Each structure stands twice: as C-alpha cells, then as structure tokens.
Amino acid sequence: MTEVRRLLRLCHPMRWKIALGVLLSVIVILSNVALMAVSGWFITAMALAGLGKMTLEFFTPAAGIRGLALLRSGARYLERLVSHDATLAVLARLRPWFYKKLVPLAPARLQGLRHGDLLARIRSDIDALDTFHLRILGPGLAALISSVIIVAAFALVSPGVAVMTALGLLLAGVAVPLLVRRATLGAGSALSSARAELQSGTGDLTRGFEELRVLNATGAQIDRLRALSLRLIAAQRRPAWAAAAGTALTNGVGQAMTLGAALILLPGAAAGEVSGPIFAMLVLGAMASVEAVSSLPGAFAAWDATLASARRIFALTDQTPAVSEPAMPETPRGNAVRFEDVHFAYDGGSPVLDGFDLTLQEGRCLALTGPTGAGKSTVLALLQRFHDPDRGFVSLGGTDLRRIADATLRQRIAVVEQQVQLFNATIAENLRLARPDADEDRLWQVLEQAQLAAEIRAMPEGLKTRLGELGTRLSGGQARRLGIARALLVDAPVLLLDEPTEGLDSATEAQVIAALATLIRGRTVLLVTHRPQALALADRQVVIGGARA
Ligand SMILES: Nc1ncnc2c1ncn2[C@@H]1O[C@H](COP(=O)(O)OP(=O)(O)OP(=O)(O)O)[C@@H](O)[C@H]1O
C-alpha cells in the first residue's frame, strides 16, 4: 500500500484538476440517473394523462429532460478534457521527477540496467502510472460520491429501493472488482516485464541493424521479437478477459437491480400507494444507477499492473547514490591530483585497486597505461567521483573529493571519452551543453582549436547541422574532435582523456592529436592511452598493474 500513498503524493500538485475531473464525473453519473428517472416518470405520466387519469404540466419535465441530456453531454465532454489534461500534467511532472532522481544514481547505480530496461521504465512504466488517477483514483472517488448521493436520493422516495440499490452498488462496485482483481493477481508484473523486454528487444534490433545484416542474423532477431510480442499479448490477455467479465457481471447486476426495484415496488403499486410515474421513475433510476460503478472492474483489472509499474520505478529511485554530497563543502586550492593508498572494489567484487598511489602535479600531463582490466578507467571514475574509494583517498588541490561539492568538481574536470556522447540535436546545441551561454564566435573559436571548423563550414547548414541519433552523421574522428571542442568550451583546469584516439586510422589520429595538443595546454591532464602518438603528449607515464616507467 505504500506505493499507493506515494502515487497519491506524486499526484498532489494536480489535486485540484483531479478533483474537478471527479466532480464532473459525478455530474455525468447523476445527470444520467436523473435523466432516466425523469424520463420514466414523464412517459408514464403522459400515458396516464392521455388516458385522462391525471393532469400533467408538460413543459417543466420536458425542459428538465432536455436540460439533463445537455448537462450529461456537456459534463462528459468537460470531464474528458479535464481528466486528460490532469493526466498529461501528472505525466509531464513524473518524467522529469524520475529523470532527476536518476541523475545522482548515474553511472554507478545504473550500470546493472540495460539501456532498454531503463527506457522501458522511463516510458512504459511512467505511462502506466497515468492509469492510477485516470482509471483508478478518479473513477473510484466518483463512484463513491455518486453512489452515496443516489442511495440518499432514493431513500427520500422509497427506503426499500434505496437499500436494494445500496446492496446492488456494493455488489457491482466492490465484490465484482475484487473478483476481477483476484483473477488478475500477478498479471501486472508479467505485463510490465513483458513490455520492458519487448522495448529492449526492439531497441537492440534497431540499433544493431548493420551488424545483424552482416551476420545474417536478422531472421533470428525477428523471431525473438515475435516471441516477445506474443509474450506481451499473452500477458495482456488475462487482465483483458477479467475486465470484460467484470463489465458483463456489472451489467448483470444492473439488470437485477431493475428487477429488484420493480419487485419491491409492486405491492405498493398494486395497493395504489405507489403511482405509475413514481414506479417507472424508480425502476429506471435503479437501472441507470449501476453506471456509477461500471468503470470499477476495469480499474481493478489495471490495479495490479499499475502497482507493478510503480514498484519498478520506486525500486530504482529509492536507491541511495553511490556518493553523497558533503555537508560543508570545501573549495580545492589548486588542481594537483593525488591518489593515496587507494583501495577499491566494485560492489562486493574482487579488488581492482589495492593500495594505488599517484601524484599528478598541476599543469602536467600524465599518461596512465597498463594491461586491459588493470583499472585505468576505474582511476578516471574515482577522480570524477562516480564512486568513493573503500580505503585511502583521492584529492584535488589538496582537498579530499568527498569534501568537494559535486557542482564544483564538474566545473573543475572535463572529460573526453573514446566514445563521445553526442545527441540528436544541432552541432551548436551539442556544443552548448558544455556552456549554454556561449555565442557563435566562441563556438567557432573552439571548433578552430579542435581543427574541426573547416569541415563544419563546408556543411550546408554549418552549426545548425543536426547530428542524428548518437551523432551518426559525423565520422569517428569528427565526433572525437567535437568532443574536444566541447571540452575546450567547459574550460576546466583538469582534463581526463580516456583512450581519445583509440580506433582511429593514423591520419585521423594525427588530426585528433593536434586538437588535443591545444586542449591540454596549461591544463592538468590524466591521459589513458596505449597509442604511441598520444603517449607523446604526456610528460610522464605511469603503468598501472605493472612496473613504473
Ligand atoms: N561497473 C563495474 N562493475 C563491476 N566491475 C567492473 C566495473 N567496471 C569495471 N569493472 C571491473 O574492474 C576491473 C578494472 O576495469 P577497468 O575498466 O577500470 O580497467 P581498464 O584498465 O580501464 O581496462 P581497459 O583497458 O580494458 O579499458 C575489470 O576487472 C572490470 O571487469
């Protein structure tokens, strides 16, 4: 139930919109019941008046019927408008909320998750949460409020019919939905995991088109996708069946309520205590009143899946970040880097660093080399404070990283990775991630320094060229140099270079090295590389997992 409380808290800022949606739903339900009841009364009264058995003032009820019909349609339209607006507002709030929660968890706590799984949580699970107030919270409240009003109104005319209606509504609004919920128990987690699997399978297929074609493995992947689709359909089947059966049962209860009202009123009608028009009014009113609870079986069918999605989301956001912000942050004096007796292992694994020492003086460039798996990237990760050492400390300007605020550290350290992360935006936008206020002159300046300006000028749209997903419109060397331009824009005094020329041919490598030579000037640089050309940039080389050079 804690998930429900937490979902309610997330909906809290939208409470007035949600309340307005509920109010409009109540108006729809009540106007419908009133419309049926008044129509029943009116038709019977007209018939009796036609037989000369009563006199009838025609205009008021006829106008009332028209008014109720208009009210019902208008309120239904507004209810849809308001409820969907509230849903979109909730979703618009949930996505950034979730993303903000993820940021401090990256990368340490998200490494175990596949890209597709994360995407599924951001997309499907968050989307599934809209069910909570659109199909569960709103209809549940509207059902409760309108049921109470209907029963109270019936009680004024016939306590017997009121009691029967109350029982009918309890049956259709509580017992039937509980049955539906029982039938769908466990289906929710199957559904959300099938959805996530399909999403990540589709992602693999679209990202890996080229490789799959070359490997002639497209057929197998499509079969996998088909199997995942069938799994999703199978997972959807049970909740769909249960909801449909629930609707049928609810309608059945509605028919029984009609019959029940007639049976209760018959003796009174026979004795002349209940007039014909009142008889028709109550019978049709009882029939229509089941609408108050008719959406609840669907709501309960969706309940399990919604809670499963909520659980998956909260499981992620509840994780504590791998590192915490200092209570009293200090400003590092200078930019020298030191690792002192650093011991580190990834979550319970075997030690990666075991008493590691390193001194990098301010303004120097140190190359870190060593065999694969020796821990070079781990050293860079520790210096970016993605993790804290298990023992020993890492310092910048003489201050332990644990005492430096995250924002200060990000201003001090720029990174150029082997795989430069580019976004499906323009070149200018990709650059301005590093410095949103940089003007065009500044962008061209860093592009010149990164030896990329001429190539971008030759593109028809220049800085406005869109890079495509993951920067696919650029060659490997261009992407690297764009990464270097971005790092130049950060203008941080400390620079981490992780295999910046790996995988490039020697001509492209020479271009990238020239760009790097500009970038590292005057900065404190830790360079991870095996490439002799890149090694030449360094003043000193340290071999990790081997002898000191
Ligand atoms: N996120 C992680 N979780 C668990 N173990 C990890 C993680 N990242 C790296 N490792 C392990 O830590 C060890 C050091 O890895 P690291 O990537 O730091 O080495 P490296 O020297 O940079 O290797 P390479 O030259 O291949 O990039 C390896 O055994 C690796 O499997």
Side-chain angles (χ1 to χ4, degrees), residues 176 180 242-252 294 297-298:
V176 173
V180 168
T247 306
L249 278 174
T250 307
N251 288 338
S294 61

Side-chain angles (χ1 to χ4, degrees), residues 94-104 122:
L94 277 178
R95 285 204 189 94
W97 165 83
F98 185 55
Y99 196 76
K100 250 192 233 156
K101 289 271 183 189
L102 290 187
V103 172
I122 292 178

Side-chain angles (χ1 to χ4, degrees), residues 163-297:
V163 170
M164 187 279 304
T165 305
L167 289 175
L169 289 175
L170 277 174
L171 198 63
V174 179
V176 173
L178 283 177
L179 265 179
V180 168
R181 169 146 164 61
R182 241 184 108 81
T184 55
L185 225 53
S189 28
L191 191 61
S192 57
S193 80
R195 224 185 264 131
E197 281 287 319
L198 182 62
Q199 183 127 21
S200 84
T202 317
D204 281 351
L205 196 64
T206 49
R207 270 191 304 277
F209 266 138
E210 268 177 52
E211 284 82 349
L212 292 171
R213 241 190 109 185
V214 171
L215 294 168
N216 203 16
T218 326
Q221 280 300 315
I222 290 175
D223 285 347
R224 196 176 140 236
L225 213 57
R226 189 173 298 121
L228 288 173
S229 303
L230 291 176
R231 207 182 119 196
L232 179 62
I233 292 168
Q236 284 169 330
R237 196 164 284 142
R238 189 143 58 98
W241 267 101
T247 306
L249 278 174
T250 307
N251 288 338
V253 172
Q255 302 305 321
M257 282 162 72
T258 317
L259 192 64
L263 289 177
I264 289 168
L265 293 169
L266 264 182
E273 290 155 16
V274 176
S275 69
I278 294 290
F279 181 90
M281 180 180 92
L282 287 174
V283 169
L284 289 187
M287 185 176 91
S289 63
V290 80
E291 192 202 321
V293 294
S294 61
S295 57
L296 294 185

Side-chain angles (χ1 to χ4, degrees), residues 355-375:
F356 177 71
D357 293 304
L358 180 101
T359 304
L360 168 57
Q361 283 153 4
E362 179 149 9
R364 309 306 290 266
C365 175
L366 186 146
L368 193 61
T369 60
T372 183

Side-chain angles (χ1 to χ4, degrees), residues 111 346 352 371-378 499 530:
Q111 264 156 358
Y346 287 97
V352 178
T372 183
K376 302 180 294 295
S377 302
T378 305
E499 312 263 17
H530 292 105

Side-chain angles (χ1 to χ4, degrees), residues 481-495:
R481 280 176 286 146
L482 194 60
I484 292 170
R486 197 156 67 185
L488 278 162
L489 216 47
V490 177
D491 201 16
V494 180
L495 193 62

Side-chain angles (χ1 to χ4, degrees), residues 130-140 243 295-296 298-302:
D130 73 2
T131 314
F132 177 67
H133 95 265
L134 194 65
R135 286 182 65 193
I136 297 175
L137 181 64
S295 57
L296 294 185
F300 276 62

